[in-house]
Amino acid sequence: MSTERVATVVGDLIKRINDAIDEHEVTYDEYHAAMNYLIRLGEAGEWPLFLDVFFEHTVERLNQGEGGTIEGPYYVPDAPWLERPYVLPQRDDEKGDVLILSGTVRSTGGRPIPGAVLDMWQADADTYYSNVQEGPPPYNLRGRMTADDNGEFEVRTIVPPSYHLPRGGPMEELLNAAGWHDFRPGHLHFIVSADGYTPLITQLYFEGDRYLDSDVASAVKPELVLSLRKHDSPEEMEERGLKKPFFTTSHEFRLKPQDG
Ligand code: BEZ
Ligand code: FE
């Protein structure tokens, strides 16, 4: 980053924070409480959580736009490559309803992209992400797969219920102090990539989730909200080799060709 860019952006941030301090007549007690809070936020390792909740959505909108949304703090590289038929790695007794997500990866011009890579991750039904939180085994509900020759894919996972941020640290303390809830709608994360295209970072949400309109991370876009279809007939379950009802949905990911 150039000296000029740092001076412009950081200078403006400093000015705007000073304006807010002025406007709200912040006291010395409040100033010291904020200083103490920010130190504790760092000590607890919650800076990525704080920044991704409050600011990533704006950076994302400017840099990706339609079809994309925030990455959040819980991506882990090198998730296992899956074999067809794709099933996201999970425990034998993984909690949650079975979800079969199918779809296509296309260019923004509409052409299917054979072999596109989908790197997928999600929290378990208790809101824990494997590899970054205690609980699930390594790489649980994380995996990489490719679209077929028609740009199509299908993967079995679980329907993610509404999600709350990790509790017990400075982030929860701030949300409580402001009287704000700490929920995000349930979601599936993806990074979709292919040679010659800009990787798409996104998430999928589901109709009916009570937090679609009040996501604490402000990262829901209408084109990312899918409807779920329930399948509970014995024939459908048998056809899928499942012993319980399941849900299906589908989505089309669109990748931008890289310039040049
Ligand atoms: C998430 O998508 O899981 C997430 C996003 C922002 C902050 C915390 C979590
Ligand atoms: Fe998430």
Side-chain angles (χ1 to χ4, degrees):
M1 249 186 287
S2 70
T3 308
E4 194 187 5
R5 176 82 174 156
V6 174
T8 303
V9 176
V10 178
D12 193 37
L13 275 173
I14 291 171
K15 179 180 176 307
R16 289 184 198 218
I17 293 170
N18 275 300
D19 287 349
I21 292 171
D22 229 347
E23 188 178 329
H24 302 293
E25 300 182 9
V26 169
T27 66
Y28 253 108
D29 277 354
E30 289 166 339
Y31 175 68
H32 286 131
M35 192 184 293
N36 176 275
Y37 178 80
L38 294 174
I39 291 167
R40 287 189 293 109
L41 191 67
E43 284 169 351
E46 289 194 349
W47 270 109
L49 178 63
F50 178 92
L51 292 167
D52 288 353
V53 165
F54 294 125
F55 303 108
E56 190 187 354
H57 63 96
T58 303
V59 180
E60 187 285 324
R61 177 172 46 77
L62 289 168
N63 289 278
Q64 285 202 126
E66 195 179 335
T69 191
I70 67 170
E71 179 176 321
Y74 301 127
Y75 174 68
V76 172
D78 303 322
W81 284 103
L82 309 181
E83 303 277 345
R84 288 193 181 84
Y86 295 136
V87 179
L88 218 52
Q90 54 194 267
R91 292 158 282 198
D92 291 341
D93 58 349
E94 193 69 42
K95 277 204 263 176
D97 290 322
V98 173
L99 169 65
I100 297 172
L101 169 73
S102 57
T104 313
V105 183
R106 294 182 189 276
S107 68
T108 42
R111 246 180 319 134
I113 308 179
V117 173
L118 297 110
D119 195 338
M120 178 176 176
W121 72 104
Q122 68 181 96
D124 70 10
D126 295 321
T127 78
Y128 298 121
Y129 281 92
S130 62
N131 300 60
V132 291
Q133 283 162 324
E134 301 284 315
Y139 294 104
N140 200 58
L141 299 176
R142 294 180 185 273
R144 285 183 287 176
M145 65 205 107
T146 54
D148 68 13
D149 292 346
N150 301 314
E152 293 171 355
F153 67 92
E154 182 178 281
V155 57
R156 175 154 75 78
T157 184
I158 57 151
V159 180
S162 303
Y163 169 85
H164 66 73
L165 301 180
R167 291 177 175 161
M171 190 65 189
E172 185 192 15
E173 181 189 323
L174 175 62
L175 293 169
N176 283 343
W180 300 331
H181 75 68
D182 63 351
F183 280 91
R184 304 205 60 224
H187 54 276
L188 308 173
H189 289 267
F190 296 87
I191 299 177
V192 186
S193 57
D195 282 349
Y197 294 87
T198 304
L200 175 73
I201 300 169
T202 195
Q203 301 181 28
L204 299 177
Y205 307 94
F206 302 97
E207 271 175 21
D209 194 300
R210 62 180 291 203
Y211 297 103
L212 285 173
D213 295 327
S214 65
D215 178 9
V216 65
S218 311
V220 178
K221 296 182 185 178
E223 70 271 22
L224 303 176
V225 181
L226 309 185
S227 56
L228 290 173
R229 191 165 153 227
K230 188 171 186 180
H231 303 261
D232 52 8
S233 75
E235 296 78 32
E236 285 174 308
M237 289 189 267
E238 195 184 323
E239 198 183 314
R240 291 282 184 176
L242 295 169
K243 292 196 179 65
K244 56 182 191 173
F246 62 99
F247 292 83
T248 57
T249 190
S250 66
H251 184 67
E252 206 165 83
F253 296 97
R254 297 247 174 183
L255 305 192
K256 286 186 194 136
Q258 272 161 355
D259 301 332

